Amino acid sequence: RKGKTPEEVVKRYLQKVRNPPEEDCTICMEPLAGPSGYKGPGVGAVPRAESVGRLTQCGHQYHLQCLVAMYNNGNKDGSLQCPTCKTIYGVKTGNQPPGKMEYHVIPHSLPGHPDCKTIRIIYNIPPGIQGSEHPNPGKPFTARGFPRHCYLPDSEKGRKVLRLLLVAWDRRLIFSVGTSSTTGESDTVIWNEIHHKTEFGSNLTGHGYPDPGYLDNVLEELKAQGMTEDDGQQL
Ligand code: APR
Ligand code: ZN
């Protein structure tokens, strides 16, 4: 932990706004020129001069207290994501439970990628007990269908996706704990916002090949979670 208070973390990514525009804060829907509509635990008073801030990269403006409340609702990892345009400040991490990620090359081609071999990724996450970063701390979670096997073409672009997936794994962004939209089961390990191809030679679930747009789509999803080209180079 960095020892910074939520307010200090949020302020690191903000510039002061002297004259708030005549717009509503899109977090609380109250005018930026007035007080934050957010009232809740841990919301202290802030001086008027600090009541509105502008995010440094994207420029979107919010009540300071609204951003602090949003930060407190997340996993408090020192990062902040603009709720309007999704720009990430700091390094975003997730709440993926402990487990293992492995990969190797298999000497077969995927449908749609006849000229290269295939990378198989194997994820293994055992069931466990939810931590404070999960929906129901202290309660068990299940883990269905593990080990889960996933496939990428062993091409230049496929290897780039693999490098970024390894970074995403370290940042705990590949899986989450919640309610499965496929099975309806709650308190279980589920895929997060990064799509994987779990079928090798068929496409019965829609999570198989061929899918000409897949590699570009997953690169976009990785980018939306904060993995950039630079992240892939560092490995
Ligand atoms: N393969 C890959 N991705 C999937 C699959 C699948 N079989 N099923 C769902 N997804 C994607 C969904 O499109 C969604 O974006 O995962 C995301 C979360 O969906 P959930 O159903 O909530 O996730 P989860 O319960 O983890 O997945 C259900 O995927 O790998 C299998 O064994 C797993 O049968 C289970 C299924
Ligand atoms: Zn607000």
Side-chain angles (χ1 to χ4, degrees), residues 204-232:
L204 305 170
T205 58
H207 302 287
Y209 291 91
D211 180 352
Y214 173 63
L215 294 177
D216 286 326
N217 290 342
V218 72
L219 284 171
E220 274 306 305
E221 292 175 339
L222 285 157
K223 194 166 151 200
Q225 299 290 321
M227 263 63 60
T228 65
E229 311 261 324
D230 291 351
D231 291 316

Side-chain angles (χ1 to χ4, degrees), residues 134-214:
H134 295 131
N136 295 301
K139 201 176 161 186
F141 64 84
T142 57
R144 309 290 183 195
F146 289 95
R148 294 190 187 184
H149 291 194
C150 311
Y151 303 94
L152 289 170
D154 188 20
S155 60
E156 200 171 320
K157 206 183 257 187
R159 287 190 291 269
K160 176 167 154 185
V161 169
L162 173 65
R163 286 195 296 274
L164 296 177
L165 287 174
L166 288 162
V167 176
W169 172 266
D170 281 339
R171 296 182 187 174
R172 304 176 64 194
L173 291 165
I174 305 270
F175 294 95
S176 179
V177 173
T179 301
S180 167
S181 51
T182 302
T183 66
E185 188 182 18
S186 59
D187 302 294
T188 192
V189 180
I190 52 174
W191 293 110
N192 196 19
E193 316 266 306
I194 303 166
H195 278 88
H196 284 68
K197 292 297 190 188
T198 51
E199 282 189 68
F200 176 76
S202 55
N203 193 7
L204 305 170
T205 58
H207 302 287
Y209 291 91
D211 180 352
Y214 173 63

